[in-house]
């Protein structure tokens, strides 16, 4: 029967100041931060100031366990920070100046430090380590760590005073703990430090280096902590983000290539062809014989309801009302959990040149010769404003390319609604949402969902023949928590809906109040 070793931390005030390496607030407190507090408490309880003897076997036991679940209250950043002035350690210089009759002030040697704590609505944080089998060594380790946890006085900053406790909980008791549950996740969430074998020894080493930083008449900097892992933790309230990789279209001279967004499905096809050929040469380990055809090329079995595949998504440029919507970036996305396969493909595609079918897809030069196709150059997503419109977390999303519904609505609104709901289910949209539809996109530079113009000619985004008989609409999705109040819930991109969603149709982006 599953049980949990639970270490609980209760803060004595509703404000927490801990930060991650990047300087942003850390919430929930990382398992490594908790272990640091546990080691300090154990050293104090058994008066082991230089080395750890009593608590060391218990630490080696807990460091070998998988990363714990964390149950924590909601942490809200305080709306207004405050500034501290921290004096430098130069009081001897100021006092020396006074002794010589000179004017001096410690206020001249201060460092500004802005503090923005988090407000928590409950005081307790729980770390749940799953237990499978009982043993004498495990039972002794639990007794030792429980005693150490009850000696905890603070967690993180010295002003974050806390009390600790520990106990073994049943599955039902663990499920009844109040708070938001955070679990290790391959994607999404926040990166937190977790201990690994060797972490307690490295913490003792760092403490020893700190005590000896002034030995020998000089100062020796204290090396940082090295023995720890980084694990992403995702809360139960957070929708998992699909893993993705991004590429820029670059010409041979390094300039950015622009492709017409009306024909973005052609570009998606070129990227898919390149990916298929690459994975035929070097598929990942452990995949089946039909993996390339089904997962990479996207040729699904007609009887398969849960088909998984890569999505090849050309990204039209959005950002402001004067943005040229041409395609300069391409995203490849994978289902949640398939990060390793995506990374394998991305390494193969890096720096590869597209292979157009006709040869003139990228225009002609002054001599009437086809321009050479562009290269796929990897790019970061966190500093690109266009990419953020497709990958950020938001509660309201709008389609830039039309959503192709699974059928024809016969111009009946009730049937349109049923088809939209079916398209959302088929696309894996599980978060409750309200939607509204229109033939026109909220993005000014996008094309309408109409197939033909007034003269009967095809217009808008290119669609292959097998999608021309199905109804297309532009959608606005408003995600909520499913309650009667319908509180907004942010959902991360990329979001694609409908038929053609794996090759650029039904692509959603966020929009600002000022426009696109």
């Amino acid at each position: 029967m599953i049980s949990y070793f639970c270490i609980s931390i209760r803060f004595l005030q509703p404000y927490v100041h801990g930060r991650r390496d990047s300087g942003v607030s850390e919430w929930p407190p990382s398992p490594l931060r908790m272990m640091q507090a546990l080691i300090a408490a154990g050293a104090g309880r058994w008066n082991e100031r230089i080395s750890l003897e009593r608590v060391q076997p218990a630490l080696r036991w807990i460091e070998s366990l998988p990363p714990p679940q964390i149950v924590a209250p909601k942490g809200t950043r305080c709306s207004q920070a405050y500034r501290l002035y921290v004096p430098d350690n130069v009081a001897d210089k100021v006092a020396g100046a006074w002794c010589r009759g000179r004017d001096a002030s410690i206020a001249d040697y201060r460092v500004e430090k802005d503090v923005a704590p988090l407000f928590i609505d409950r005081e307790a944080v729980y770390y749940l380590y799953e237990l499978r089998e009982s043993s004498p060594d495990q039972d002794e380790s639990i007794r030792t760590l429980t005693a150490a946890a009850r000696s905890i006085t603070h967690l993180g900053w010295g002003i974050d005073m806390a009390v600790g406790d520990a106990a073994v909980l049943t599955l039902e008791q663990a499920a009844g703990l109040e708070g938001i549950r955070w679990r290790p996740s391959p994607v999404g969430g926040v990166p937190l430090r977790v201990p690994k074998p060797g972490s307690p020894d490295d913490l003792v080493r760092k403490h020893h280096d700190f005590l000896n930083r002034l030995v020998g008449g000089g100062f020796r900097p204290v090396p940082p902590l090295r023995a720890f892992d980084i694990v992403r933790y995702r809360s139960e309230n957070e929708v998992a983000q699909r893993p993705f990789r991004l590429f820029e279209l670059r010409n041979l001279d390094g300039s950015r290539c622009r492709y017409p967004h009306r024909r973005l499905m052609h570009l998606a096809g070129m990227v898919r062809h390149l990916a298929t050929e690459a994975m035929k040469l070097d598929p990942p380990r452990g995949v089946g014989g039909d993996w390339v055809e089904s997962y990479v090329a996207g040729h699904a079995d007609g009887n398969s309801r849960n088909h998984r595949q890569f999505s090849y998504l050309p990204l039209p440029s959005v950002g402001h009302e004067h943005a040229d919507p041409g395609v300069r970036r391409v995203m490849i996305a994978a289902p949640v959990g398939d990060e390793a396969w995506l990374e394998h493909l991305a390494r193969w595609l890096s720096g590869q040149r597209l292979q157009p079918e006709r040869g003139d897809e990228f225009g002609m030069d002054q001599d009437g010769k086809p321009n050479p196709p562009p290269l796929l150059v990897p790019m970061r997503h966190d500093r690109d404003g266009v990419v953020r419109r497709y990958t950020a977390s938001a509660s309201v999303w709008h389609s830039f390319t039309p959503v192709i519904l699974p059928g024809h609505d016969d111009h009946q609104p009730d049937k349109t609604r049923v088809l939209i709901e079916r398209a959302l289910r088929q696309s894996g949209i599980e978060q409750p949402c309200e939607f509204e539809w229109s033939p026109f996109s909220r993005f000014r530079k996008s094309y309408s969902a109409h197939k033909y113009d007034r003269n009967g000619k095809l217009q808008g985004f290119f669609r292959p023949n097998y999608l021309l008989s199905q109804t297309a609409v532009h959608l606005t999705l408003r995600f909520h928590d499913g309650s009667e109040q319908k509180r907004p819930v942010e959902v991360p991109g990329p979001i694609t809906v409908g038929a053609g969603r794996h090759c650029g149709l039904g692509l959603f982006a966020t929009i600002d109040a000022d426009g696109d």
Side-chain angles (χ1 to χ4, degrees):
M1 182 177 180
I2 297 177
S3 59
Y4 294 90
F5 177 53
C6 174
I7 298 177
S8 61
I9 306 291
R10 294 183 180 273
F11 290 94
L12 301 185
Q13 59 180 5
Y15 299 99
V16 180
H17 300 80
R19 297 181 181 180
R20 301 205 303 268
D21 290 339
S22 56
V24 300
S25 299
E26 179 186 84
W27 193 257
S30 70
L32 183 63
R33 189 181 294 273
M34 182 274 295
M35 174 170 275
Q36 289 175 288
L38 197 64
I39 290 175
R45 181 181 184 91
W46 289 289
N47 197 26
E48 297 178 332
R49 305 297 181 177
I50 304 300
S51 63
L52 297 175
E53 299 296 338
R54 178 68 179 273
V55 75
Q56 189 78 313
L59 294 174
R60 295 195 185 283
W61 169 75
I62 198 172
E63 73 182 8
S64 67
L65 299 178
Q69 294 184 33
I70 304 175
V71 182
K74 181 180 179 181
T76 305
R77 183 182 176 88
C78 293
S79 59
Q80 189 170 2
Y82 61 91
R83 176 167 293 178
L84 299 176
Y85 293 89
V86 182
D88 291 337
N89 190 19
V90 293
D92 54 339
K93 295 182 179 180
V94 176
W98 290 343
C99 293
R100 292 188 293 271
R102 298 178 184 176
D103 291 333
S105 173
I106 195 68
D108 297 331
Y109 301 94
R110 300 183 302 174
V111 177
E112 296 178 353
K113 186 174 184 179
D114 293 326
V115 179
L118 292 177
F119 174 80
I120 55 176
D121 56 7
R122 293 187 182 92
E123 72 274 15
V125 180
Y126 305 95
Y127 299 84
L128 297 171
Y129 292 88
E130 184 175 335
L131 304 176
R132 289 290 183 174
E133 297 179 359
S134 180
S135 67
D137 290 342
Q138 175 176 289
D139 295 342
E140 179 61 28
S141 297
I142 288 175
R143 285 191 291 270
T144 301
L145 293 176
T146 299
R150 291 171 179 171
S151 298
I152 288 176
T153 58
H154 62 277
L155 184 72
W157 287 21
I159 57 177
D160 293 334
M161 300 183 66
V163 294
D165 198 0
V168 175
L169 304 182
T170 64
L171 181 62
E172 292 75 16
Q173 290 172 328
L177 296 175
E178 293 187 358
I180 299 172
R181 294 183 179 269
W182 297 76
R183 294 180 174 88
S185 172
V187 294
V190 296
L192 297 179
R193 291 181 172 189
V194 299
K196 68 176 186 179
S199 293
D201 293 337
D202 200 27
L203 285 166
V204 173
R205 185 272 311 164
K206 184 178 179 182
H207 178 64
H208 183 269
D209 290 345
F210 177 80
L211 295 178
N212 292 277
R213 69 194 185 281
L214 299 177
V215 173
F219 174 74
R220 294 189 299 179
V222 180
L225 194 67
R226 307 183 190 93
F228 60 87
D229 285 330
I230 300 292
V231 173
R232 302 196 72 88
Y233 273 79
R234 185 165 61 88
S235 79
E236 61 185 352
N237 297 335
E238 178 184 351
V239 180
Q241 183 177 39
R242 294 174 64 190
F244 59 87
R245 294 293 183 272
L246 291 157
F247 298 90
E248 287 183 299
L249 301 178
R250 291 282 183 176
N251 296 314
L252 298 182
D253 61 1
S255 62
R256 198 177 253 173
C257 175
R258 177 192 180 278
Y259 193 82
H261 64 294
R262 183 189 296 271
R263 303 200 305 270
L264 54 76
M265 284 199 70
H266 294 87
L267 182 60
M270 283 184 261
V271 178
R272 182 178 60 186
H273 172 75
L274 202 62
T276 302
E277 294 302 311
M279 292 298 96
K280 286 179 180 178
L281 294 175
D282 183 25
R285 293 181 180 179
V287 298
D290 62 345
W291 180 81
V292 173
E293 282 298 312
S294 65
Y295 197 99
V296 183
H299 297 155
D301 182 353
N303 297 322
S304 176
R305 295 184 178 181
N306 300 313
H307 181 69
R308 296 167 69 87
Q309 66 180 87
F310 286 129
S311 299
Y312 307 93
L313 309 175
L315 303 181
S317 297
V318 294
H320 56 82
E321 59 180 343
H322 302 297
D324 173 8
V327 177
R328 299 168 180 83
R329 306 160 184 83
V330 176
M331 173 190 296
I332 302 178
V336 173
D338 293 346
E339 175 88 14
W341 289 351
L342 177 62
E343 181 63 27
H344 181 82
L345 174 63
R347 286 197 300 268
W348 260 97
L349 295 185
S350 177
Q352 297 296 312
R353 183 187 295 184
L354 294 178
Q355 300 174 8
E357 182 177 353
R358 299 193 316 270
D360 61 350
E361 284 89 341
F362 296 95
M364 312 293 286
D365 61 16
Q366 296 179 350
D367 299 327
K369 298 180 180 180
N371 289 323
L375 306 174
L376 294 176
V377 179
M379 64 174 293
R380 295 178 57 176
H381 72 279
D382 53 347
R383 298 180 180 177
D384 189 278
V386 171
V387 173
R388 281 198 297 271
R389 295 302 183 97
Y390 296 101
T391 61
S393 293
S395 59
V396 181
W397 290 85
H398 309 278
S399 61
F400 188 95
T401 56
V403 176
I404 312 299
L405 301 181
H408 197 282
D409 64 0
D410 299 321
H411 305 289
Q412 300 178 18
D414 290 342
K415 190 172 182 180
T416 304
R417 178 174 293 276
V418 171
L419 290 175
I420 292 174
E421 292 173 346
R422 184 185 304 169
L424 292 172
R425 290 194 302 270
Q426 292 175 348
S427 303
I429 305 296
E430 299 178 351
Q431 188 67 35
C433 68
E434 293 186 328
F435 55 82
E436 54 193 59
W437 68 90
S438 168
F440 304 103
S441 172
R442 288 288 301 274
F443 294 95
R444 299 187 181 99
K445 300 295 182 69
S446 177
Y447 296 111
S448 75
H450 294 301
K451 288 180 289 189
Y452 304 98
D453 61 16
R454 294 180 179 178
N455 298 320
K457 295 182 179 180
L458 289 173
Q459 69 169 13
F461 290 96
F462 170 82
R463 283 193 254 166
N465 292 334
Y466 70 90
L467 294 180
L468 288 177
S469 63
Q470 298 172 223
T471 297
V473 296
H474 277 290
L475 283 180
T476 292
L477 303 178
R478 304 181 188 278
F479 292 97
H480 57 82
D481 61 358
S483 65
E484 293 183 1
Q485 295 78 15
K486 295 184 178 180
R487 291 181 287 268
V489 170
E490 291 190 346
V491 173
I495 295 176
T496 54
V497 176
R501 64 185 179 275
H502 298 297
C503 51
L505 294 179
L507 178 63
F508 284 72
T510 61
I511 194 170
D512 287 341
D514 297 333
D516 61 352

